[in-house]
Amino acid sequence: MRIASLCVSLLLLLIGMGACSSGPALSRATGFAYEVVVVMDQEVWNGPAGEAVKSELASDVPGLPQYEPSLKITYVPPKDFSGLFEYVRNILVVTIDSTRYTKVSLGYENDVWARGQVVLTMRAPNAKSIVEFSETNKNALVDFFVKEEIDRAVGQLKEEYSSVVMENLKSNLDVELNAPANFIYYKDTTDFFWSSNNATTGRMDLVVYTFPYTDPDTFTADYLVAKRDSVMKANLPGGHPGSYMQTEKRAGVEYKPITLQDKYCGLMRGLWRMEGDMMGGPFVSVARLDERNNRVVVAEGFVYAPETNKRNYIRRMEASMYTLRLPGEFGQPESEK
């Protein structure tokens, strides 16, 4: 009788636990970073609307020396969207129905079929409206998925990061930044810090430097490029005598304001070259005003990978730049807009 009672009690406990469960456990999302599955009727996919979506998702990554697509696209017709496709980390579902929709709208859900997944849904009354939406809302789709990937990278950097970089920046420059864990090589001087993964393939470097805030025109592309060139020339000599890093101005530099930690931040991206040497690649930087110390703090990541694509490397560095925290922000979660 005791055994029977025990079995009944365990059964009731398991039933109770099942009743409290929010549903079946989800598997972790699959797929590589910057890949997206697009679900759309084949007739639409092969027409102007599909071409508009493809062109945007595969648009050129800004700030690279050669063309690389922002996202790798896998197309799946609705009838085949099942099984492994449902577990991919980035999914775009396009639904056209003139009886239900009067204009194009976007909505998204997280963890629909897998943990760590985002599903973006585009609803439209017809194919023509999708083309018009793409023309008037430039990069809305690609910006959404790119930000999702960078947010994932930031989350990973919060869990696993270089203690060498974190400790040196905190103690010497009084800032925090989560660099990839393999950044173990570094040089630290007054107001300038450099670190690198020193990899033979896909080399990534970062620098953090500060200077007094004295000019209201500091947060402009011209000012920050000039400051960058002077700082890099003084602190990053090349392998050949007399060589040093400079900004490749012929390619142009992109500068735009963003919000980081709920404060103004200047985001800059472009190309660097080694004056007097045959080296170069992309860079991305953030510049912020440290009001407590009346100084400007610049964090920059740059990549040297002549033998391979650079998209994922430079975007990982961009994610690292978004973790920059100034005095008064330590311990706060990252927030980038």
Side-chain angles (χ1 to χ4, degrees), residues 103-151:
K103 63 179 181 179
V104 176
S105 64
L106 298 176
Y108 74 93
E109 291 184 84
N110 293 311
D111 306 337
V112 178
W113 293 286
R115 287 183 292 113
Q117 177 188 70
V118 63
V119 179
L120 180 64
T121 302
M122 171 182 275
R123 303 176 180 89
N126 49 56
K128 181 182 178 182
S129 64
I130 294 178
V131 176
E132 294 171 347
F133 178 86
S134 297
E135 293 173 348
T136 57
N137 297 272
K138 298 291 186 182
N139 299 323
L141 302 178
V142 70
D143 286 350
F144 175 84
F145 285 114
V146 168
K147 186 175 186 308
E148 284 292 319
E149 288 290 4
I150 288 182
D151 285 347

Side-chain angles (χ1 to χ4, degrees), residues 31-49:
F32 295 102
Y34 300 102
E35 293 187 348
V36 59
V37 166
V38 179
V39 185
M40 182 189 297
D41 287 336
Q42 191 159 15
E43 181 181 354
V44 180
W45 178 252
N46 293 330

